[in-house]
Each structure stands twice: as C-alpha cells, then as structure tokens.
Amino acid sequence: MTTLKKLVLATGLGVFGLVGSVNAHLVAFGWKDNGNGTVTMFGQHWHGNQSTPYSDNGGVRIGTYGTDPSTWQLFQWTGVMNDMGGTTAGMDAMVTNGILTGYATEPQNFSNSANENDWFLTDPLVLGNGTWGLFTGTACCVDTMSAPGQFNITGIISVPPGTGPGGHVPEPATLGLLGLGLAGLSVARRRAKAKA
C-alpha cells in the first residue's frame, strides 16, 4: 500500500471516529431531592459552558427502561450550571455539599474528565427511587446520547420509591396529613407491643 493510500485511510478512519464521538455529549445524570416531594434532574455534558439551557433533544425523557422511549415523559432543560463536577470526585463533592443527592454516569460516554463539568437542569418534577430509563436523544449536538440508558436513582426521601415520572406534586397539606398518619401508626404499634 502506498504512503498516500495509507494517509487517506488513516484520515478517513480518524474522521469516522470523530463522527462517532459526536453522539456522546451527555456523560452523566444527577438528581437533587428538593425535600418537598419534587426532584430536579441534571444532565452533565462536555460541550462547554452554556449561558442558556440550549438543547438539541428537548430535554430528558424518563420512563420504564425496555419500553419505547418515545412514550417516556419529556422534561425540558430549563437552567444551566457550569464548572462543577466532571470527575467522580467532583460529583462526590457536589453530593457532599448538597448540590446533588446522587448521580450516575453514562457508561459509554463518561471519561472522568475535569473538563466535562457543565450541566443542564430541569424544573422540579416528581420521581422516586428506582431503576429508570433516561434518554435525551440522538440529535446532534449538545445533550446527545447514543441510546437510552438504564439508571438507578437513589437517595430520594421526599418522594415514595417507584413513583413514576410526572406524578402529581403532593400538596403541603397532604404531606402534613401523611406525617400525622405515620405518627399515629407509630404510636399504635408501640401500644400494641406494650400490651404483648
């Protein structure tokens, strides 16, 4: 093979690799339990700082993994947060500092790079602990994923586990009544144990 053919082949493979990596801008998800029955979702990307919640895919879809992601509920990106996280150590620090409740990396795209430290975020939504499908979409470029992923959401205490995305936000009075009911149940159990 001539040197020119080798150069053309190497250049073509390099361009192919670059095109393949374009579908890998979203590298991790984070979530924050707001303590009021809602959660804010975050999407970490490596496209660089953003001043507005620009999105090629309209936000993040959340649903039951293994079902058609086009039927999952779509939550818009409505805000940005730049220059935080990036590495697992950086995201651990965000959890320690109360910025995130938890996070999960996108296995095919996460590179543990300090430069991949910019986030989009949603308005508060209802989502409980569980294993959920998350997907932004394949449209180029800034919040792109190659395919839907299965992610384990943990650490949320203000929403019952397994509560599906987009459930109703509990009214404060409802939460108060729930608390009173649980307190009454606790007292009844203690009384029953004392009698036994």
Side-chain angles (χ1 to χ4, degrees), residues 45-57:
H45 60 93
W46 56 259
H47 201 272
N49 286 5
Q50 300 290 316
S51 57
T52 61
Y54 169 69
S55 170
D56 293 296
N57 293 287

Side-chain angles (χ1 to χ4, degrees), residues 24-138:
H25 283 220
L26 194 123
V27 297
F29 285 102
W31 53 91
K32 167 75 174 157
D33 185 341
N34 298 315
N36 62 358
T38 68
V39 173
T40 300
M41 291 297 295
F42 295 78
Q44 182 174 254
H45 60 93
W46 56 259
H47 201 272
N49 286 5
Q50 300 290 316
S51 57
T52 61
Y54 169 69
S55 170
D56 293 296
N57 293 287
V60 58
R61 291 189 178 276
I62 306 174
T64 303
Y65 186 77
T67 62
D68 179 2
S70 69
T71 64
W72 300 354
Q73 187 155 353
L74 178 66
F75 298 94
Q76 303 285 325
W77 301 125
T78 58
V80 297
M81 182 173 65
N82 294 314
D83 304 323
M84 295 184 129
T87 63
T88 53
M91 289 186 282
D92 287 343
M94 292 174 72
V95 171
T96 299
N97 293 327
I99 298 165
L100 296 177
T101 299
Y103 68 89
T105 61
E106 209 290 323
Q108 295 181 342
N109 300 328
F110 185 70
S111 66
N112 208 29
S113 168
N115 295 323
E116 300 173 3
N117 62 355
D118 303 304
W119 303 79
F120 292 126
L121 56 125
T122 65
D123 283 337
L125 58 101
V126 177
L127 185 69
N129 291 334
T131 301
W132 299 105
L134 303 176
F135 186 46
T136 53
T138 58

Side-chain angles (χ1 to χ4, degrees), residues 35-38 157-160 169-182:
N36 62 358
T38 68
I157 58 173
S158 75
V159 181
V169 177
E171 296 293 329
T174 304
L175 290 174
L177 288 173
L178 178 63
L180 286 173
L182 291 174

Side-chain angles (χ1 to χ4, degrees), residues 137-169:
T138 58
C140 179
C141 288
V142 73
D143 63 346
T144 305
M145 287 174 67
S146 301
Q150 188 173 17
F151 296 87
N152 190 25
I153 307 294
T154 61
I156 298 170
I157 58 173
S158 75
V159 181
T163 301
H168 297 290
V169 177

